[in-house]
Amino acid sequence: MTTLELTRRRWGDWAWARKATAIADLFQVRLSLAVAGATMAGALMCAGRLTDGSVWAVAGVFAMACGARALNQYQERGIDAIMDRTARRPIPSGRVSPAAALAIATLALDAGALILLAGAGPFPTALGIAAAAAYNHVYTPLKKKTAWAAVIGSPIGALAPLVGWTAAGGPLISSAILPVTAFILLWQTPHFWLLQIRHRADYERVGLRVLGARLSAHGRRVVMAGITLALGTVAAVWMPRAMNLSAPAQAILVTLSLGLIAFQPAGASRGG
C-alpha cells in the first residue's frame, strides 16, 4: 500500500471518528443514558429483573431521548451560537448542518417509538411519545417565554421510570413507583434552576428568563434548603417504605439518593 493510500485511509478514519463524536454530542449520550437508566430502574422495581418488554423499553427510550436532545439542539441552534456554554455544540460549531441534525433527530425519534411499540406495547410507547413531545414542543418553546419553564418541564423526566414500570407489567398508578417519580420531579427543578443561575449572563443575553434571578444569595440558600429537605424526606423515608426494601437495600438507596441531591451545579449560593 502506497503512502498516499495510507494517508487517505488514516484521514478517512479520523473523519469518521469526528462524525461519530459530533453525533454523540448531538445526542448528548450521557444524559440520554441517564434517562434510559431511569427507565431500567422502573422496570427492575416492577419485575425484579429485566423482562423482554423492559429491555425493548430501555432501548426505545434511549433512542427517543437521543432524538429529543438532537431536536432540541436544532430548535435552539440560533441561541446556542450566541451562548458561551453552548457555542461548541455540533450545529453552531459547524460539525453538523441543521438539515442533517433535523434528519438524525427525526430518525432517532421514529426508531425509538417503533422499538417501544414493537417490544414494550402501546401504553409505554404513548408515555415515551408524550415525554418527547412535551420536551420539544412545550418545555423548549416555553424557555423563551417564562422563567417557570424549568418547573413546568420537570414532570417530563419523571415519565422515564413509568415507561419501564409499565413495560414490565406494572400499573400506571402505584404507591411503589410514585416515590421514584416524585424524587426525580423534585430533583430536576433545582438542578436546572441552578444551571440557569450559574449561566445567568448567558441566558439573559439571548433573552431567556432566569427563575429567581432577583433573589439574593441568602434567598437562594433558603430555597435550596427547603428543596433539599423535601428530597431527603422522599429519599430516606418515603421511597424505602413504599418499595418495601430490605435494610441493606434501603441504606444503598438512601446513599445513592443523597449523593444525587449533592450533585448540583456549583454556584448556587453565589451571585451568579
Short mmCIF file of all heavy atoms in Angstrom, two decimals, residues 39-103:
data_model
loop_
_atom_site.label_atom_id
_atom_site.label_comp_id
_atom_site.label_asym_id
_atom_site.label_seq_id
_atom_site.Cartn_x
_atom_site.Cartn_y
_atom_site.Cartn_z
N THR A 39 -35.44 4.46 33.18
CA THR A 39 -36.41 3.50 32.63
C THR A 39 -36.11 2.09 33.13
O THR A 39 -37.01 1.35 33.53
CB THR A 39 -36.36 3.53 31.09
OG1 THR A 39 -36.59 4.86 30.64
CG2 THR A 39 -37.41 2.61 30.50
N MET A 40 -34.83 1.73 33.13
CA MET A 40 -34.42 0.43 33.63
C MET A 40 -34.76 0.27 35.11
O MET A 40 -35.22 -0.80 35.54
CB MET A 40 -32.92 0.23 33.41
CG MET A 40 -32.41 -1.14 33.85
SD MET A 40 -30.60 -1.29 33.70
CE MET A 40 -30.40 -1.12 31.93
N ALA A 41 -34.55 1.33 35.88
CA ALA A 41 -34.87 1.28 37.31
C ALA A 41 -36.36 1.00 37.52
O ALA A 41 -36.74 0.19 38.39
CB ALA A 41 -34.47 2.59 37.98
N GLY A 42 -37.21 1.66 36.74
CA GLY A 42 -38.64 1.42 36.86
C GLY A 42 -39.01 0.00 36.54
O GLY A 42 -39.85 -0.62 37.22
N ALA A 43 -38.37 -0.58 35.51
CA ALA A 43 -38.64 -1.96 35.15
C ALA A 43 -38.19 -2.93 36.23
O ALA A 43 -38.90 -3.89 36.58
CB ALA A 43 -37.96 -2.28 33.82
N LEU A 44 -37.00 -2.70 36.78
CA LEU A 44 -36.48 -3.57 37.83
C LEU A 44 -37.32 -3.50 39.09
O LEU A 44 -37.52 -4.50 39.79
CB LEU A 44 -35.03 -3.20 38.15
CG LEU A 44 -34.00 -3.52 37.06
CD1 LEU A 44 -32.64 -2.94 37.41
CD2 LEU A 44 -33.90 -5.03 36.85
N MET A 45 -37.84 -2.33 39.40
CA MET A 45 -38.70 -2.19 40.57
C MET A 45 -39.98 -2.98 40.41
O MET A 45 -40.53 -3.51 41.38
CB MET A 45 -39.03 -0.71 40.80
CG MET A 45 -37.89 0.10 41.36
SD MET A 45 -38.34 1.83 41.49
CE MET A 45 -39.79 1.70 42.55
N CYS A 46 -40.47 -3.08 39.18
CA CYS A 46 -41.73 -3.78 38.96
C CYS A 46 -41.55 -5.30 38.97
O CYS A 46 -42.25 -6.01 39.67
CB CYS A 46 -42.34 -3.34 37.62
SG CYS A 46 -43.88 -4.18 37.20
N ALA A 47 -40.58 -5.78 38.16
CA ALA A 47 -40.46 -7.22 37.95
C ALA A 47 -39.29 -7.85 38.69
O ALA A 47 -39.20 -9.07 38.77
CB ALA A 47 -40.33 -7.51 36.46
N GLY A 48 -38.36 -7.03 39.20
CA GLY A 48 -37.19 -7.57 39.87
C GLY A 48 -36.13 -8.06 38.91
O GLY A 48 -35.06 -8.51 39.32
N ARG A 49 -36.40 -7.97 37.64
CA ARG A 49 -35.46 -8.36 36.59
C ARG A 49 -35.87 -7.66 35.31
O ARG A 49 -36.95 -7.06 35.23
CB ARG A 49 -35.48 -9.88 36.37
CG ARG A 49 -36.84 -10.39 35.93
CD ARG A 49 -36.88 -11.90 35.81
NE ARG A 49 -38.19 -12.36 35.39
CZ ARG A 49 -38.58 -12.47 34.12
NH1 ARG A 49 -37.73 -12.14 33.14
NH2 ARG A 49 -39.79 -12.90 33.82
N LEU A 50 -35.00 -7.73 34.31
CA LEU A 50 -35.32 -7.12 33.03
C LEU A 50 -36.07 -8.13 32.16
O LEU A 50 -35.49 -9.13 31.71
CB LEU A 50 -34.04 -6.66 32.32
CG LEU A 50 -33.37 -5.41 32.90
CD1 LEU A 50 -32.09 -5.11 32.14
CD2 LEU A 50 -34.31 -4.22 32.85
N THR A 51 -37.34 -7.90 31.96
CA THR A 51 -38.14 -8.74 31.07
C THR A 51 -37.84 -8.35 29.62
O THR A 51 -37.18 -7.35 29.35
CB THR A 51 -39.63 -8.54 31.35
OG1 THR A 51 -39.98 -7.17 31.07
CG2 THR A 51 -39.97 -8.85 32.81
N ASP A 52 -38.34 -9.17 28.70
CA ASP A 52 -38.12 -8.85 27.28
C ASP A 52 -38.70 -7.47 26.94
O ASP A 52 -38.06 -6.67 26.25
CB ASP A 52 -38.78 -9.92 26.40
CG ASP A 52 -38.05 -11.26 26.48
OD1 ASP A 52 -36.88 -11.27 26.92
OD2 ASP A 52 -38.66 -12.28 26.10
N GLY A 53 -39.89 -7.22 27.44
CA GLY A 53 -40.53 -5.94 27.17
C GLY A 53 -39.76 -4.77 27.74
O GLY A 53 -39.65 -3.71 27.10
N SER A 54 -39.20 -4.94 28.94
CA SER A 54 -38.47 -3.83 29.56
C SER A 54 -37.13 -3.57 28.87
O SER A 54 -36.67 -2.43 28.81
CB SER A 54 -38.27 -4.10 31.06
OG SER A 54 -37.58 -5.31 31.28
N VAL A 55 -36.50 -4.61 28.34
CA VAL A 55 -35.26 -4.41 27.58
C VAL A 55 -35.54 -3.56 26.34
O VAL A 55 -34.80 -2.61 26.03
CB VAL A 55 -34.64 -5.76 27.17
CG1 VAL A 55 -33.49 -5.54 26.18
CG2 VAL A 55 -34.13 -6.50 28.40
N TRP A 56 -36.61 -3.88 25.65
CA TRP A 56 -37.01 -3.08 24.50
C TRP A 56 -37.37 -1.66 24.92
O TRP A 56 -37.09 -0.69 24.20
CB TRP A 56 -38.20 -3.73 23.79
CG TRP A 56 -37.85 -4.93 22.98
CD1 TRP A 56 -38.14 -6.23 23.28
CD2 TRP A 56 -37.15 -4.97 21.73
NE1 TRP A 56 -37.66 -7.07 22.32
CE2 TRP A 56 -37.04 -6.32 21.35
CE3 TRP A 56 -36.59 -3.99 20.91
CZ2 TRP A 56 -36.41 -6.72 20.18
CZ3 TRP A 56 -35.97 -4.38 19.73
CH2 TRP A 56 -35.88 -5.72 19.38
N ALA A 57 -37.99 -1.55 26.08
CA ALA A 57 -38.36 -0.21 26.57
C ALA A 57 -37.13 0.65 26.83
O ALA A 57 -37.10 1.83 26.47
CB ALA A 57 -39.19 -0.35 27.85
N VAL A 58 -36.11 0.06 27.45
CA VAL A 58 -34.88 0.80 27.72
C VAL A 58 -34.23 1.25 26.41
O VAL A 58 -33.81 2.40 26.26
CB VAL A 58 -33.90 -0.06 28.54
CG1 VAL A 58 -32.55 0.63 28.66
CG2 VAL A 58 -34.47 -0.32 29.94
N ALA A 59 -34.17 0.34 25.44
CA ALA A 59 -33.58 0.68 24.14
C ALA A 59 -34.38 1.76 23.43
O ALA A 59 -33.82 2.72 22.86
CB ALA A 59 -33.48 -0.57 23.27
N GLY A 60 -35.71 1.63 23.47
CA GLY A 60 -36.56 2.61 22.80
C GLY A 60 -36.48 3.98 23.44
O GLY A 60 -36.42 5.00 22.74
N VAL A 61 -36.45 4.02 24.77
CA VAL A 61 -36.36 5.29 25.47
C VAL A 61 -35.01 5.95 25.20
O VAL A 61 -34.93 7.17 25.01
CB VAL A 61 -36.58 5.09 26.98
CG1 VAL A 61 -36.14 6.32 27.77
CG2 VAL A 61 -38.04 4.80 27.26
N PHE A 62 -33.95 5.16 25.15
CA PHE A 62 -32.64 5.73 24.85
C PHE A 62 -32.64 6.39 23.47
O PHE A 62 -32.16 7.51 23.29
CB PHE A 62 -31.55 4.65 24.92
CG PHE A 62 -30.19 5.14 24.50
CD1 PHE A 62 -29.49 6.04 25.29
CD2 PHE A 62 -29.62 4.72 23.30
CE1 PHE A 62 -28.24 6.51 24.91
CE2 PHE A 62 -28.37 5.18 22.91
CZ PHE A 62 -27.68 6.07 23.71
N ALA A 63 -33.21 5.69 22.48
CA ALA A 63 -33.25 6.25 21.12
C ALA A 63 -34.11 7.51 21.09
O ALA A 63 -33.73 8.51 20.46
CB ALA A 63 -33.81 5.21 20.15
N MET A 64 -35.24 7.49 21.78
CA MET A 64 -36.11 8.68 21.78
C MET A 64 -35.46 9.83 22.52
O MET A 64 -35.60 11.00 22.13
CB MET A 64 -37.46 8.34 22.39
CG MET A 64 -38.30 7.41 21.54
SD MET A 64 -40.05 7.45 21.99
CE MET A 64 -40.53 9.03 21.29
N ALA A 65 -34.75 9.54 23.61
CA ALA A 65 -34.05 10.60 24.35
C ALA A 65 -32.97 11.22 23.47
O ALA A 65 -32.80 12.45 23.45
CB ALA A 65 -33.44 10.03 25.63
N CYS A 66 -32.24 10.39 22.73
CA CYS A 66 -31.23 10.91 21.80
C CYS A 66 -31.87 11.81 20.76
O CYS A 66 -31.38 12.90 20.45
CB CYS A 66 -30.50 9.76 21.12
SG CYS A 66 -29.33 8.85 22.18
N GLY A 67 -32.99 11.35 20.21
CA GLY A 67 -33.68 12.13 19.20
C GLY A 67 -34.21 13.44 19.73
O GLY A 67 -34.13 14.49 19.08
N ALA A 68 -34.77 13.41 20.95
CA ALA A 68 -35.31 14.63 21.56
C ALA A 68 -34.20 15.63 21.84
O ALA A 68 -34.38 16.84 21.65
CB ALA A 68 -36.06 14.28 22.84
N ARG A 69 -33.05 15.14 22.30
CA ARG A 69 -31.91 16.04 22.55
C ARG A 69 -31.42 16.67 21.26
O ARG A 69 -31.10 17.86 21.21
CB ARG A 69 -30.77 15.26 23.21
CG ARG A 69 -31.08 14.69 24.57
CD ARG A 69 -31.06 15.74 25.64
NE ARG A 69 -31.35 15.18 26.94
CZ ARG A 69 -31.42 15.88 28.05
NH1 ARG A 69 -31.20 17.19 28.02
NH2 ARG A 69 -31.71 15.32 29.21
N ALA A 70 -31.35 15.86 20.21
CA ALA A 70 -30.90 16.37 18.92
C ALA A 70 -31.89 17.40 18.36
O ALA A 70 -31.48 18.44 17.84
CB ALA A 70 -30.72 15.22 17.93
N LEU A 71 -33.17 17.11 18.48
CA LEU A 71 -34.18 18.06 18.00
C LEU A 71 -34.14 19.35 18.80
O LEU A 71 -34.31 20.45 18.24
CB LEU A 71 -35.57 17.42 18.09
CG LEU A 71 -36.74 18.28 17.56
CD1 LEU A 71 -36.51 18.70 16.12
CD2 LEU A 71 -38.06 17.51 17.70
N ASN A 72 -33.88 19.25 20.10
CA ASN A 72 -33.75 20.44 20.93
C ASN A 72 -32.60 21.33 20.46
O ASN A 72 -32.73 22.56 20.39
CB ASN A 72 -33.54 20.03 22.39
CG ASN A 72 -33.21 21.20 23.29
OD1 ASN A 72 -32.04 21.46 23.59
ND2 ASN A 72 -34.22 21.93 23.74
N GLN A 73 -31.49 20.70 20.10
CA GLN A 73 -30.36 21.49 19.60
C GLN A 73 -30.67 22.12 18.24
O GLN A 73 -30.21 23.23 17.94
CB GLN A 73 -29.11 20.61 19.51
CG GLN A 73 -28.56 20.20 20.87
CD GLN A 73 -27.20 19.56 20.77
OE1 GLN A 73 -26.31 20.05 20.08
NE2 GLN A 73 -27.01 18.45 21.46
N TYR A 74 -31.46 21.43 17.43
CA TYR A 74 -31.88 22.03 16.16
C TYR A 74 -32.79 23.23 16.43
O TYR A 74 -32.64 24.28 15.80
CB TYR A 74 -32.63 20.98 15.33
CG TYR A 74 -33.29 21.57 14.09
CD1 TYR A 74 -32.55 21.83 12.93
CD2 TYR A 74 -34.65 21.88 14.09
CE1 TYR A 74 -33.15 22.37 11.81
CE2 TYR A 74 -35.26 22.43 12.97
CZ TYR A 74 -34.50 22.68 11.83
OH TYR A 74 -35.11 23.24 10.73
N GLN A 75 -33.71 23.08 17.38
CA GLN A 75 -34.64 24.16 17.69
C GLN A 75 -33.92 25.38 18.26
O GLN A 75 -34.33 26.52 18.01
CB GLN A 75 -35.68 23.67 18.71
CG GLN A 75 -36.66 22.63 18.17
CD GLN A 75 -37.54 22.07 19.27
OE1 GLN A 75 -37.07 21.35 20.16
NE2 GLN A 75 -38.82 22.40 19.22
N GLU A 76 -32.86 25.16 19.02
CA GLU A 76 -32.19 26.26 19.71
C GLU A 76 -30.85 26.61 19.08
O GLU A 76 -30.00 27.23 19.73
CB GLU A 76 -32.01 25.90 21.19
CG GLU A 76 -33.33 25.68 21.91
CD GLU A 76 -33.16 25.53 23.41
OE1 GLU A 76 -32.12 24.98 23.84
OE2 GLU A 76 -34.06 25.98 24.14
N ARG A 77 -30.66 26.26 17.82
CA ARG A 77 -29.37 26.48 17.18
C ARG A 77 -29.00 27.96 17.12
O ARG A 77 -27.82 28.31 17.18
CB ARG A 77 -29.36 25.87 15.77
CG ARG A 77 -30.39 26.48 14.81
CD ARG A 77 -30.52 25.61 13.57
NE ARG A 77 -31.43 26.20 12.56
CZ ARG A 77 -32.75 26.11 12.62
NH1 ARG A 77 -33.33 25.47 13.64
NH2 ARG A 77 -33.49 26.65 11.67
N GLY A 78 -29.99 28.82 17.04
CA GLY A 78 -29.72 30.25 16.98
C GLY A 78 -29.14 30.80 18.26
O GLY A 78 -28.11 31.47 18.26
N ILE A 79 -29.79 30.49 19.38
CA ILE A 79 -29.29 30.99 20.66
C ILE A 79 -28.07 30.21 21.12
O ILE A 79 -27.23 30.75 21.84
CB ILE A 79 -30.39 30.96 21.74
CG1 ILE A 79 -30.89 29.54 22.00
CG2 ILE A 79 -31.55 31.86 21.36
CD1 ILE A 79 -31.89 29.45 23.14
N ASP A 80 -27.95 28.94 20.71
CA ASP A 80 -26.76 28.17 21.06
C ASP A 80 -25.50 28.80 20.49
O ASP A 80 -24.42 28.74 21.10
CB ASP A 80 -26.88 26.73 20.55
CG ASP A 80 -27.74 25.85 21.45
OD1 ASP A 80 -28.12 26.33 22.53
OD2 ASP A 80 -28.02 24.70 21.06
N ALA A 81 -25.62 29.42 19.32
CA ALA A 81 -24.46 30.04 18.69
C ALA A 81 -24.00 31.28 19.43
O ALA A 81 -22.84 31.69 19.33
CB ALA A 81 -24.79 30.40 17.24
N ILE A 82 -24.89 31.87 20.23
CA ILE A 82 -24.57 33.10 20.96
C ILE A 82 -24.05 32.81 22.36
O ILE A 82 -23.15 33.48 22.85
CB ILE A 82 -25.82 34.01 21.04
CG1 ILE A 82 -26.33 34.35 19.63
CG2 ILE A 82 -25.52 35.29 21.82
CD1 ILE A 82 -27.65 35.08 19.63
N MET A 83 -24.61 31.80 23.00
CA MET A 83 -24.24 31.50 24.38
C MET A 83 -22.87 30.82 24.45
O MET A 83 -22.57 29.91 23.67
CB MET A 83 -25.31 30.61 25.02
CG MET A 83 -26.67 31.27 25.15
SD MET A 83 -27.95 30.14 25.75
CE MET A 83 -27.36 29.78 27.41
N ASP A 84 -22.07 31.25 25.42
CA ASP A 84 -20.72 30.68 25.57
C ASP A 84 -20.76 29.19 25.88
O ASP A 84 -19.95 28.42 25.34
CB ASP A 84 -19.98 31.42 26.69
CG ASP A 84 -19.67 32.86 26.32
OD1 ASP A 84 -19.61 33.16 25.11
OD2 ASP A 84 -19.49 33.69 27.24
N ARG A 85 -21.70 28.77 26.73
CA ARG A 85 -21.72 27.38 27.18
C ARG A 85 -22.22 26.42 26.10
O ARG A 85 -22.05 25.20 26.25
CB ARG A 85 -22.59 27.23 28.44
CG ARG A 85 -24.06 27.53 28.25
CD ARG A 85 -24.84 27.33 29.55
NE ARG A 85 -24.91 25.93 29.92
CZ ARG A 85 -25.95 25.14 29.61
NH1 ARG A 85 -26.98 25.63 28.94
NH2 ARG A 85 -25.96 23.88 29.98
N THR A 86 -22.82 26.92 25.04
CA THR A 86 -23.37 26.04 24.00
C THR A 86 -22.77 26.27 22.62
O THR A 86 -23.13 25.59 21.67
CB THR A 86 -24.90 26.22 23.91
OG1 THR A 86 -25.20 27.61 23.67
CG2 THR A 86 -25.59 25.78 25.19
N ALA A 87 -21.85 27.23 22.51
CA ALA A 87 -21.31 27.59 21.19
C ALA A 87 -20.54 26.44 20.54
O ALA A 87 -20.38 26.42 19.31
CB ALA A 87 -20.41 28.81 21.31
N ARG A 88 -20.07 25.48 21.34
CA ARG A 88 -19.31 24.36 20.78
C ARG A 88 -20.18 23.16 20.45
O ARG A 88 -19.65 22.11 20.05
CB ARG A 88 -18.21 23.95 21.76
CG ARG A 88 -17.14 25.01 21.97
CD ARG A 88 -16.04 24.50 22.87
NE ARG A 88 -15.00 25.50 23.07
CZ ARG A 88 -13.92 25.32 23.83
NH1 ARG A 88 -13.73 24.14 24.44
NH2 ARG A 88 -13.02 26.27 23.96
N ARG A 89 -21.46 23.30 20.59
CA ARG A 89 -22.34 22.20 20.21
C ARG A 89 -22.24 21.94 18.71
O ARG A 89 -21.80 22.79 17.95
CB ARG A 89 -23.79 22.52 20.61
CG ARG A 89 -24.02 22.37 22.11
CD ARG A 89 -25.45 22.68 22.50
NE ARG A 89 -25.70 22.39 23.91
CZ ARG A 89 -26.85 22.61 24.53
NH1 ARG A 89 -27.88 23.14 23.87
NH2 ARG A 89 -26.99 22.32 25.81
N PRO A 90 -22.66 20.75 18.26
CA PRO A 90 -22.40 20.36 16.86
C PRO A 90 -22.92 21.32 15.80
O PRO A 90 -22.22 21.57 14.81
CB PRO A 90 -23.10 18.99 16.76
CG PRO A 90 -23.04 18.46 18.14
CD PRO A 90 -23.21 19.64 19.05
N ILE A 91 -24.12 21.88 15.99
CA ILE A 91 -24.67 22.75 14.93
C ILE A 91 -23.98 24.11 14.90
O ILE A 91 -23.48 24.51 13.84
CB ILE A 91 -26.20 22.89 15.09
CG1 ILE A 91 -26.88 21.52 14.99
CG2 ILE A 91 -26.76 23.82 14.01
CD1 ILE A 91 -28.37 21.55 15.22
N PRO A 92 -23.92 24.85 16.01
CA PRO A 92 -23.25 26.16 15.92
C PRO A 92 -21.76 26.08 15.59
O PRO A 92 -21.20 27.01 15.02
CB PRO A 92 -23.49 26.77 17.31
CG PRO A 92 -23.81 25.64 18.20
CD PRO A 92 -24.51 24.63 17.35
N SER A 93 -21.12 24.97 15.94
CA SER A 93 -19.70 24.83 15.63
C SER A 93 -19.46 24.38 14.19
O SER A 93 -18.31 24.32 13.75
CB SER A 93 -19.05 23.82 16.59
OG SER A 93 -19.57 22.51 16.38
N GLY A 94 -20.54 24.04 13.49
CA GLY A 94 -20.41 23.65 12.09
C GLY A 94 -20.09 22.19 11.86
O GLY A 94 -19.89 21.76 10.73
N ARG A 95 -20.06 21.39 12.92
CA ARG A 95 -19.74 19.96 12.75
C ARG A 95 -20.91 19.18 12.16
O ARG A 95 -20.71 18.13 11.53
CB ARG A 95 -19.33 19.36 14.10
CG ARG A 95 -17.98 19.85 14.60
CD ARG A 95 -17.63 19.21 15.92
NE ARG A 95 -18.49 19.67 17.00
CZ ARG A 95 -18.77 18.96 18.09
NH1 ARG A 95 -18.28 17.75 18.22
NH2 ARG A 95 -19.53 19.47 19.04
N VAL A 96 -22.14 19.67 12.39
CA VAL A 96 -23.33 19.04 11.82
C VAL A 96 -24.20 20.16 11.26
O VAL A 96 -24.43 21.16 11.93
CB VAL A 96 -24.13 18.25 12.88
CG1 VAL A 96 -25.40 17.66 12.28
CG2 VAL A 96 -23.28 17.13 13.48
N SER A 97 -24.68 19.98 10.05
CA SER A 97 -25.55 21.00 9.45
C SER A 97 -26.94 20.93 10.08
O SER A 97 -27.35 19.87 10.57
CB SER A 97 -25.66 20.79 7.95
OG SER A 97 -26.41 19.61 7.66
N PRO A 98 -27.68 22.02 10.08
CA PRO A 98 -29.05 21.99 10.64
C PRO A 98 -29.93 20.94 9.96
O PRO A 98 -30.70 20.24 10.65
CB PRO A 98 -29.57 23.41 10.38
CG PRO A 98 -28.34 24.26 10.35
CD PRO A 98 -27.29 23.41 9.71
N ALA A 99 -29.83 20.82 8.64
CA ALA A 99 -30.66 19.84 7.93
C ALA A 99 -30.31 18.42 8.35
O ALA A 99 -31.21 17.58 8.58
CB ALA A 99 -30.47 20.00 6.42
N ALA A 100 -29.02 18.13 8.49
CA ALA A 100 -28.60 16.80 8.92
C ALA A 100 -29.04 16.53 10.35
O ALA A 100 -29.48 15.42 10.67
CB ALA A 100 -27.08 16.66 8.80
N ALA A 101 -28.95 17.53 11.22
CA ALA A 101 -29.37 17.36 12.61
C ALA A 101 -30.85 17.06 12.70
O ALA A 101 -31.27 16.19 13.48
CB ALA A 101 -29.04 18.63 13.41
N LEU A 102 -31.65 17.75 11.91
CA LEU A 102 -33.10 17.50 11.90
C LEU A 102 -33.40 16.10 11.41
O LEU A 102 -34.25 15.39 11.98
CB LEU A 102 -33.81 18.55 11.04
CG LEU A 102 -35.33 18.41 10.94
CD1 LEU A 102 -35.97 18.51 12.32
CD2 LEU A 102 -35.89 19.49 10.01
N ALA A 103 -32.71 15.67 10.36
CA ALA A 103 -32.92 14.33 9.83
C ALA A 103 -32.52 13.26 10.84
O ALA A 103 -33.24 12.27 11.04
CB ALA A 103 -32.13 14.15 8.53
#
